[in-house]
Amino acid sequence: GQQLNQSPQSMFIQEGEDVSMNCTSSSIFNTWLWYKQDPGEGPVLLIALYKAGELTSNGRLTAQFGITRKDSFLNISASIPSDVGIYFCAGPPDTGNQFYFGTGTSLTVIP
Amino acid sequence: KAGVTQTPRYLIKTRGQQVTLSCSPISGHRSVSWYQQTPGQGLQFLFEYFSETQRNKGNFPGRFSGRQFSNSRSEMNVSTLELGDSALYLCASSSRPGMRQPQHFGDGTRLSIL
C-alpha cells in the first residue's frame, strides 16, 4: 500500500531554533494535513493544504504543498518546549478512497 | 464545544474474545473515521462512516467492523481477537464526509490483548 515517508525520523534541537521536516509519497496527493500528537493523546490538526504550491501558516508553523504534489513540508520557527511531540503528515492520494498517515517525526526541544 | 469522546480509555481482553469500542463525535459532525495505531505499523485507516453508511474502508480483515447510529455516534467491533490487535484505536470526526476533510481526533482506546 501507499507509504508516506517522513524525515527526519527524530530531531533534537535547542529551544529557539527553527525546525524543518518533510513528507514524501510515491503517489500524487490532493490534500496534505499536518498533525501533532502528544503522548497519551490523539493527533491534533495543525495545518491543512489543498492546492499544489499552497503555503499556509498557523502561528510559528508554516507548511507547504509541494509542486509535484508528492511531498509536503512543515517548518516551525523559534521552537519552544511545548513543541515537543510527534508530527505526522497525512492525506488521501488523488485516486482511491484511502487515507494515509506518515511515519512521523519525533521532535525533542532542549531548554 | 466538547471534543471527540472515546470509551473506554483502556481495555484488556484475551485472544479469541471480541470487543466493542465507542466514539461520540463533536456535536454537529456526521462523519466518523477509525484508525489503528501501533509502534510497528503506525497509524492506519480502518473505515469511515457518514449518515450511518460506511463510505470508505482500509485494508483490514473482516474481523474489524463498525457501525454508525442516527445520532452519529459510532462503534467499532473486533471479533476473534489476536495478539496483534493490541493497539491504540483512534476515532476522528469531521463535519463533512470524504478523505479531504480535516479530522478531529479523540484520545483513543488502548486495547491490550493477553
Side-chain angles (χ1 to χ4, degrees):
Chain A
Q2 173 67 48
Q3 181 120 5
L4 296 183
N5 293 308
Q6 289 186 243
S7 66
Q9 187 174 356
S10 60
M11 304 179 74
F12 294 81
I13 62 168
Q14 291 288 139
E15 182 177 357
E17 289 184 354
D18 296 342
V19 172
S20 291
M21 60 186 78
N22 66 64
C23 175
T24 59
S25 72
S26 55
S27 306
I28 290 174
F29 272 53
N30 60 43
T31 300
W32 285 107
L33 305 170
W34 283 92
Y35 287 89
K36 175 175 181 272
Q37 187 174 26
D38 292 331
E41 299 182 12
V44 173
L45 180 67
L46 299 173
I47 291 179
L49 302 160
Y50 297 103
K51 293 192 304 186
E54 180 180 356
L55 185 73
T56 297
S57 293
N58 178 8
R60 294 179 295 106
L61 277 60
T62 301
Q64 185 162 23
F65 195 135
I67 293 294
T68 66
R69 297 175 65 193
K70 292 185 177 181
D71 54 9
S72 180
F73 309 90
L74 177 69
N75 296 314
I76 305 173
S77 63
S79 58
I80 59 178
S82 62
D83 290 335
V84 166
I86 302 178
Y87 291 79
F88 292 99
C89 59
D94 208 29
T95 57
N97 288 316
Q98 290 284 321
F99 192 87
Y100 296 95
F101 272 84
T103 49
T105 292
S106 174
L107 177 64
T108 301
V109 179
I110 303 165
Chain B
K1 215 181 202 183
V4 176
T5 303
Q6 292 188 245
T7 56
R9 286 299 309 274
Y10 302 93
L11 205 48
I12 299 175
K13 291 285 188 178
T14 57
R15 280 181 298 175
Q17 287 187 311
Q18 74 162 12
V19 67
T20 299
L21 312 181
S22 179
C23 172
S24 293
I26 290 173
S27 178
H29 283 192
R30 294 168 59 199
S31 175
V32 173
S33 297
W34 288 90
Y35 297 82
Q36 182 196 65
Q37 187 173 25
T38 60
Q41 300 298 317
L43 275 152
Q44 297 185 88
F45 170 70
L46 280 155
F47 27 66
E48 179 201 14
Y49 283 87
F50 180 79
S51 292
E52 302 177 64
T53 302
Q54 186 180 91
R55 285 179 51 91
N56 297 297
K57 189 176 188 303
N59 298 320
F60 278 79
R63 299 185 298 107
F64 292 81
S65 62
R67 59 177 176 167
Q68 187 179 33
F69 302 95
S70 58
N71 61 359
S72 296
R73 190 178 71 85
S74 177
E75 287 182 348
M76 189 191 87
N77 184 275
V78 188
S79 62
T80 318
L81 287 165
E82 302 176 359
L83 291 177
D85 296 334
S86 293
L88 179 66
Y89 289 89
L90 292 160
C91 164
S93 75
S94 59
S95 55
R96 292 183 288 184
M99 301 282 89
R100 302 191 73 190
Q101 300 302 317
Q103 296 171 57
H104 302 268
F105 284 80
D107 288 337
T109 294
R110 172 77 61 186
L111 176 63
S112 298
I113 311 301
L114 304 179

